[in-house]
Amino acid sequence: MNASSSPSGAFVPGPRAQGEPTGTGVLDGLRLAVKDLIDVGGTLTTCGNPDWAASHAVPTQDAPCVAALRAAGARIVGKTVTDELAFSLEGENAFHGTPRNPAAPDRLPGGSSSGSAVAVAGYEADLALGTDTGGSVRVPASFCGVHAMRPTHGRISLDGVLPFAESYDTVGWFARDAALLREAGHLLLDTQRRADAPPLRLCLADDALALAEPAVAQALRAWAQANGITASRQAFVQPWRETQEAYSVLQGLEIRAALGPWIHERRPTFGPAIAPRFEGALALDPALQAPWSRWREEMTRELLARLGPDEAWLLPAAPGVALPLNASGEQRGAFYERALALGALAGHAGLPQIVLPLLQVDGLPVGVSFIAGPGQDERLLDLAVTLAPKNGSAP
């Protein structure tokens, strides 16, 4: 099977990766797509870049996250397109193309887990694995209108996954509906049998909503009011631009440590949008690490004190609807800055965040997203099922 058989361009060009289930279980008969940063045994992990592909060997075994889903009955139907080495939120790849957003073909799918989101949104997979550092699962889920989850940092093994910015990196996943999102989550999180936890108290992160485009913020507030969510919270411990700067510096320094040696040795060719980002990361002064790390520790302590273990805060998964394919540099820059600030809330503190396709603005998907305290992943997944439309149709 070749990529040409995919109407959306969600899958990596060339022969399609395939993998039969290794066991049986709750995922019997379901199709699994895997982001091309995550190892599938016997298939080259290209990370979206030809130089990376040419300088790395074919993995011999599945990443643990892939193995867990195959053991429960999932069948691999392909590796999905990613922005090069995960360094983007737009969803484009200069070498593999831009997956077509099924919900808005004239708009970007969001990245860097673009192919995984598109595969699920286009009914080419039932379930897909991605990675999320600064929003790379959350943004494409919102842009494409699918269910998705970024887990608590450390809950899912990163073995067999490209190291990018390791203190922020997580394996995330997309699913066709809330019930499957929860089922896959219990497998990936290795959830043990437990007494039912009480539902999370839902609140509005007002200052985070202020970063969204007016129409998106208004839609989220209206949805919250219709669902009885009125309690107000402040998510940003420091100004949002400072939160974004801290993330950009700390992420960049970790990228420098993880990928800098390979870049210096290989001198790879990156696409025109990605090359300046790596240049910027490699040029960062390591002396910035200590002060910004202290900032992060203080911010995390304060955020966790505000959030507590029993609340979930509604906030935008992305600052707006999907960007047009021909969005200007100015549009992209404004989006990127605000998207990173929103994504950094969970990133800095290692928190779980869920995205639910419950809204549209001007006919375009808008994810309803909730963030919760560390380890509250299962309660967020329960919340997703509770909020799912009872007739199974999209609103």
Side-chain angles (χ1 to χ4, degrees):
M1 185 181 294
N2 292 318
S4 59
S5 63
S6 168
S8 65
F11 296 99
V12 174
R16 185 85 68 82
Q18 302 285 305
E20 293 302 314
T22 59
T24 61
V26 295
L27 303 184
D28 284 351
L30 298 184
R31 301 163 298 165
L32 170 65
V34 180
K35 184 178 183 177
D36 191 29
L37 300 181
I38 303 172
D39 286 349
V40 170
T43 299
L44 184 64
T45 304
T46 80
C47 297
N49 180 271
D51 283 300
W52 184 274
S55 59
H56 288 79
V58 175
T60 58
Q61 60 185 16
D62 293 344
C65 57
V66 175
L69 300 181
R70 291 181 72 186
R75 173 173 58 90
I76 295 174
V77 295
K79 296 294 291 292
T80 57
V81 172
T82 173
D83 299 53
E84 292 172 71
L85 278 69
F87 212 163
S88 181
L89 288 174
E90 288 97 318
E92 301 164 301
N93 186 297
F95 303 100
H96 293 163
T98 301
R100 179 176 175 268
N101 185 339
D106 60 342
R107 291 177 178 262
L108 292 170
S112 63
S113 303
S114 56
S116 290
V118 166
V120 171
Y123 299 95
E124 296 180 80
D126 303 299
L127 186 66
L129 288 168
T131 63
D132 189 297
T133 303
S136 290
V137 161
R138 291 164 285 172
V139 168
S142 188
F143 278 12
C144 295
V146 294
H147 296 78
M149 178 77 176
R150 171 205 165 95
T152 299
H153 191 269
R155 285 291 306 267
I156 300 175
S157 171
L158 289 168
D159 291 348
V161 180
L162 170 79
F164 186 56
E166 291 189 78
S167 76
Y168 293 95
D169 292 345
T170 61
V171 169
W173 65 101
F174 304 86
R176 67 183 183 206
D177 58 43
L180 181 55
L181 189 78
R182 181 170 67 176
E183 207 72 74
H186 287 172
L187 293 166
L188 292 165
L189 298 164
D190 194 22
T191 299
Q192 303 300 315
R193 185 178 296 277
R194 57 182 173 80
D196 288 337
L200 293 161
R201 183 188 184 206
L202 306 184
C203 308
L204 280 171
D206 275 319
D207 55 346
L209 287 174
L211 266 65
E213 296 172 358
V216 169
Q218 182 179 1
L220 288 169
R221 289 185 185 280
W223 184 90
Q225 184 174 16
N227 284 274
I229 305 171
T230 58
S232 175
R233 298 290 186 267
Q234 296 295 303
F236 287 102
V237 175
Q238 300 293 342
W240 71 264
R241 291 185 187 278
E242 190 172 312
T243 303
Q244 180 268 324
E245 182 182 1
Y247 176 82
S248 295
V249 171
L250 291 172
Q251 178 205 44
L253 289 170
E254 292 191 17
I255 292 168
R256 186 177 188 268
L259 298 174
W262 174 77
I263 293 172
H264 286 303
E265 179 183 351
R266 183 75 188 185
R267 303 291 179 186
T269 298
F270 293 117
I274 301 300
R277 293 179 182 172
F278 278 110
E279 289 171 6
L282 267 59
L284 286 169
D285 183 354
L288 295 171
Q289 181 85 47
W292 280 118
S293 293
R294 288 193 296 271
W295 181 99
R296 181 184 182 186
E297 291 170 3
E298 293 169 4
M299 173 267 185
T300 297
R301 280 196 297 270
E302 175 62 26
L303 178 57
L304 295 184
R306 294 183 187 185
L307 181 55
D310 295 314
E311 292 188 350
W313 296 353
L314 189 155
L315 73 168
V321 296
L323 291 166
L325 289 171
N326 62 352
S328 67
E330 184 178 359
Q331 286 176 297
R332 290 166 185 258
F335 155 77
Y336 204 74
E337 185 179 47
R338 289 172 181 260
L340 282 182
L342 290 167
L345 290 167
H348 283 315
L351 304 178
Q353 188 172 342
I354 202 160
V355 182
L356 309 175
L358 300 178
L359 275 180
Q360 291 190 344
V361 170
D362 297 330
L364 298 170
V366 170
V368 175
S369 187
F370 289 93
I371 195 170
Q376 302 306 316
D377 309 62
E378 286 85 356
R379 294 169 80 183
L380 281 178
L381 292 167
D382 289 346
L383 175 65
V385 173
T386 299
L387 293 176
K390 296 300 181 280
N391 62 4
S393 62

